[in-house]
Amino acid sequence: MSTKVILKSRSAQSTPSEAPKPVLTLEEARAAVLQRRRRKNTYHLAASLCSRHFDTQDEEPDFYASILKKFTGVKRSKSRSKGVSKRRLAIDKAKQELVAALASSGGDPKKNKDFQSALKELQQLNPPKSFDASRSPSPYNDTPTKKSSMPKLEGMWMTMSKPNFADQIGTNDNEEFLYTLGRMSFDMFRPTHLVCSMQGTFNDVSVVSDQERAATKIHAPKKLREEVQNGTSVLRRYDIVTAFTIEPENPATEEDSHGSTTHSNKGVTRPIKGIMTTHGYVLPDPAIKNRLSIWFTGGSLEVNDDDVDLKEWARIFTPSNLPKRQLKQRAKLFAARALLGATPAGAMQPDGSISFEFKRPLGGHGAIYIDVLYIDDTLRVAKGNRGGLYVFVLIPRIESPANS
């Protein structure tokens, strides 16, 4: 007979009016910890599989070449494979050209003519209107004898295009982009001037089940609340996950483009890996088949390696050590509270996680959205309502090890 344990702190003792606390066996508690560690390790592990070098002098930039070889199934070979259709070969060729154009532009596809030409070729071979966001490919449209031919939106997508955060500080020795934590998180997390490098950005997409939909209070824009509640449309979780590293103190990064010297990496003696997740949802736009109406409900920060880095992570994010917000940052926070019902990042949990919420998120059909310009079983190109272009590659769910 297994021993039952209740996971709670002494300060949270039950009272007669409270609901019973969840009861876990020791084995279940251990499994939950391991599962959480594996989930976090997945992102840094996936990012490490591809070294991000944007040297346009290279004939095959490492990052993009490795993406082609590892994840898209496209091989850089002029030989024609047996049994492969002309259409499939044409798609592979257009993919190669699109990725090469992305590499030559340093990851920025917006004004690259070669990228636009390759994208147009892909759209002719596989028109975006063939993707219907209102249908969920799996398991809803699969049958025992026939699998849905529509590409799946669900899965873990790695971003190949350059991050679109403002005020990039530069790059580190590994040519990874540097940003402040404030720029990465809408100024919701402090220290806002903490300098971080980005190893990879991921888009984790999954269908919200009817059971989860009924049991979870999902904050939605006012114009979409009824649609979310009545369950008539496919609701998907649409999380943006960033694998980042808090950079060690470096005097060279202590002054930004505005002359500010308030970067707060002082005392950081070694790299500290973390995970930042922006939690979001999407609904299909009823008027445009390949359009997803999107909104964000909050975000969270987690230390990647609990055993090694939690103590230093706690030192950095302990409330008593955090600098006060500057006037401009306080004004942004006030606006977020008024417009979005934002709750600033709260107290750090024992596992090092910190989170905030948007209780009144902005959005609505035709207001904030993502258009799927191209999608197949490995590649997705999307365009935001502000014109930003995003290129993703679908990567497998990597089974990462977790410390016992």
Side-chain angles (χ1 to χ4, degrees), residues 130-167:
S130 63
F131 173 75
D132 186 352
S134 67
R135 297 174 59 206
S136 181
S138 179
Y140 303 100
N141 296 330
D142 289 348
T143 68
T145 57
K146 185 178 180 181
K147 203 169 184 178
S148 172
S149 60
M150 190 177 80
K152 294 180 181 180
L153 182 65
E154 292 78 19
M156 186 165 76
W157 298 84
M158 184 175 183
T159 309
M160 286 200 289
S161 44
K162 182 180 178 181
N164 62 348
F165 300 119
D167 295 336

Side-chain angles (χ1 to χ4, degrees), residues 162-170 177-184 187 193 195-196 256-258 263 328 332:
K162 182 180 178 181
N164 62 348
F165 300 119
D167 295 336
Q168 178 193 336
I169 298 171
F177 298 118
L178 295 174
Y179 294 91
T180 62
L181 181 60
R183 285 301 186 188
M184 292 166 56
D187 281 335
H193 288 88
V195 179
C196 303
D256 62 17
S257 59
H258 303 290
H263 289 320
K328 188 176 180 181
K332 285 183 180 180

Side-chain angles (χ1 to χ4, degrees), residues 78-130:
K78 294 182 180 180
S79 61
R80 180 166 177 155
S81 302
K82 292 183 179 180
V84 180
S85 68
K86 289 183 179 180
R87 178 175 174 274
R88 180 72 257 176
L89 289 171
I91 288 176
D92 287 352
K93 182 175 182 294
K95 277 186 179 183
Q96 291 178 9
E97 292 171 352
L98 182 140
V99 173
L102 193 62
S104 69
S105 65
D108 185 0
K110 265 189 98 171
K111 297 181 180 179
N112 188 296
K113 292 182 179 179
D114 292 336
F115 179 91
Q116 297 294 340
S117 176
L119 176 59
K120 187 176 179 180
E121 177 70 17
L122 284 171
Q123 288 176 319
Q124 290 174 348
L125 293 163
N126 191 7
K129 296 298 181 183
S130 63

